[in-house]
Every structure is written in structure tokens, then in C-alpha cells.
Amino acid sequence: MKPSFYDRPVVEVARDLIGCVVRHEAAAGVIVEAEAYHDSEPACHAFVGLTARTATLFGPPGRAYVYRSYGIHALLNAVCEREGVGAAVLIRALEPVEGIELMRRRRGMEGVESLCSGPGKLTQALGIGLGHNGTDLARGPIVVSARPPAWREVPVAVDRRIGITKAVELPWRFSAAGSRFLSRPVRVAVV
DNA sequence: CATGGGATTGACT
DNA sequence: GTCAATCCCATGC
């Protein structure tokens, strides 16, 4: 997707990313779950302002923000809104579509449903690491591209974000309604 | 300079 | 359901 796609309110981008494809080398999947984060609310890393850690978030839209979570996992985000605003969409789950054997080897499991059903799982399955922080999502090596025809009109469910302790009430989690590949079930409404 | 806390996962009771 | 693993970085002394 072009940078202009990401240079919009982060909640809109999160919703519109459902159904888009993430590829890294020989592995690819359709985004079935994503969450929005914005520097105006305390669950966002950028809430603390511009620091070494958040520099990518405040940078130009359309880049990858990759950080280490719980000392173990790498989590992938797409930086949104204009430079100077700290906002990003966390990619939380993919439906695997290509390189499934490679994903199985990297994850050490068989079931397709568990290969990319979580933000730390999908980076492991796709071979994404901290070295990808700041890279361009239009140029690669991680590439996000438009919805395939079958995903053009996918119904999107809305829910509260997962795994956070602040601003838990915001309905900023989006997912492909009824998908078997989510990190956790949806509790609320469908748009 | 020391410390505390995660946008998680997988193993275990 | 509970819990440990593990490390970067923001904060506070």
C-alpha cells in the first residue's frame, strides 16, 4: 500500500487493513486482526512522547514499527498518520496463505490455525525481527498489499483491544468476522 | 545507576 | 485457570 493509505486516522487504517496481505520473502498471510494505537491515549507507546524507542512511531507513515515484547517476542505495527504524530496499527493475526510449510518449521507446530494467531506468533512464522524496525512497508522486505478479490467485502467486527491495562474501553480492535485464525474470539458487535 | 513493567506465549495444574 | 521466561527502555533516585 502507498504511504497515503497510512496517512489517515489510525482507526480507519486499522479497519481497512483487515483483508490486506502481509508478505515477507516466501511466507504470506491475510490480515484478520489488527488494533489501532494513538499517542493521545496511554496504551500507546508514543504516549510518553518522542524517545529512542518511539522514534519510528513519530516518523513517516507506511513504515514498520517492530519492538520486543516481554523480552521475547517481536511485534509488528504499521506506522500511521503524518510525521510528528505517534500512531500505528498492531498486526495481531494472519490467515496463512503462502509458505505454510516454512511457517510450520519456524513455529514448530502443525495446525494452520495456530501458526499466525497472535502478534508474536505471526512475526515468528514470517521471520520478522527487530532488524525490520523502520523499514518501508511498500518496498520491503516486509510488504503489505491490497485485499485480494475474495477479501474485498469482508465483514469487519469491532471489539476492545487485548492485553492492555490502560484505555481498555476504546473499541479499536478490528477483525475479519467469524475468522478461525484470530488470537482470541470477538465479544461485541459486527459492522 | 537501579528498578519495574509490559500491545505475549506455551507449559502446566 | 495460573505462571515463568526474558530484555529493552522509561523513570526515578
Side-chain angles (χ1 to χ4, degrees), chain A residues 5 8-18 36 81 89 174:
Chain A
F5 173 85
R8 297 183 292 142
V10 66
V11 176
E12 285 182 26
V13 180
R15 183 195 59 210
D16 293 346
L17 276 173
I18 302 301
E81 309 209 7
V89 173
F174 299 91

Side-chain angles (χ1 to χ4, degrees), chain A residues 167-179:
Chain A
V168 294
E169 72 287 351
L170 294 175
W172 285 5
R173 177 189 180 218
F174 299 91
S175 59
S179 172

